[in-house]
Amino acid sequence: MTLTTDNAVLLLIDLQQKLVPVIADGDAMVARSVRLAEAAQLLGVPVRATEQYPAGLGPTVAALAAYPQETLAKTTFSAAGDPGFDALLPAGTRQVVIAGCEAHVCVLQTALDLVDAGYRVAVAADAASSRDPADAAAGIARARQHGVDIVTSEMVLFEWLRDSRNPRFRDVQKLLR
């Protein structure tokens, strides 16, 4: 089943100022997350974010800070385990596309909990990473084993577009250059 913009949300997990610099390929991960957030904005997909212990890890990185309509400060590793999470997702959400860090902790635990709760979940593997690439790979592999779709940011964009006649096609295509 392809991803759609209907009842979808982009969830940016813990892309924070003091965490991203120690993440493997952190700059590329942020760039791909920005690509997703810009496309979501163009196509009317709500963007939400989480911040793990922001007093210690800081706020969302500047490149992404303007995109989320709402941000949840949390201490739980699974965002879905935080008492405020249900209010974070727009009513009627059925699909969640996830980007963020760390892929083997907060991204993985959130994805697994969302699948268990009945959501269709996709993790953009090129927009998710960990401090150690081996941990990231293991987190992505485990997510796949438990029913999470593993995609790339470009896959998400073209699935959200559906057709080159989409009025936003050229705008989204520019994000790929």
Side-chain angles (χ1 to χ4, degrees):
M1 177 192 286
T2 55
L3 299 169
T4 70
T5 56
D6 297 331
N7 302 306
V9 67
L10 173 62
L11 181 60
L12 305 173
I13 296 185
D14 305 347
L15 290 154
Q16 294 167 255
Q17 289 178 354
K18 292 183 182 176
L19 184 55
V20 167
V22 299
I23 298 296
D25 298 319
D27 290 341
M29 177 189 64
V30 169
R32 296 303 195 267
S33 297
V34 168
R35 172 191 286 176
L36 286 166
E38 288 183 7
Q41 192 172 57
L42 287 167
L43 297 170
V45 174
V47 179
R48 301 296 191 260
T50 66
E51 294 174 346
Q52 179 71 27
Y53 184 61
L57 296 176
T60 298
V61 295
L64 286 162
Y67 292 102
Q69 292 89 21
E70 294 182 39
T71 300
L72 174 68
K74 65 182 183 66
T75 58
T76 57
F77 298 121
S78 169
D82 187 275
F85 185 75
D86 288 339
L88 183 68
L89 295 183
T93 297
R94 292 193 316 248
Q95 294 182 42
V96 181
V97 174
I98 297 175
C101 51
E102 289 195 52
H104 69 295
V105 183
C106 295
V107 169
L108 174 65
Q109 290 184 32
T110 301
L112 295 177
D113 283 351
L114 289 172
V115 167
D116 287 346
Y119 292 93
R120 171 137 190 252
V121 181
V123 170
D126 62 337
S129 191
S130 298
R131 288 167 289 143
D132 184 331
D135 285 332
I140 295 296
R142 183 165 176 217
R144 177 182 284 121
Q145 290 171 348
H146 292 277
V148 175
D149 289 336
I150 305 303
V151 297
T152 66
S153 58
E154 190 165 325
M155 291 166 70
V156 174
L157 271 54
F158 282 102
E159 289 180 35
W160 279 351
L161 282 168
R162 310 285 297 167
D163 191 316
S164 63
R165 292 175 296 186
N166 185 307
R168 296 308 240 169
F169 175 73
R170 294 221 185 275
D171 297 323
V172 172
Q173 189 179 34
K174 289 176 187 174
L175 301 175
L176 301 173
R177 295 184 184 147

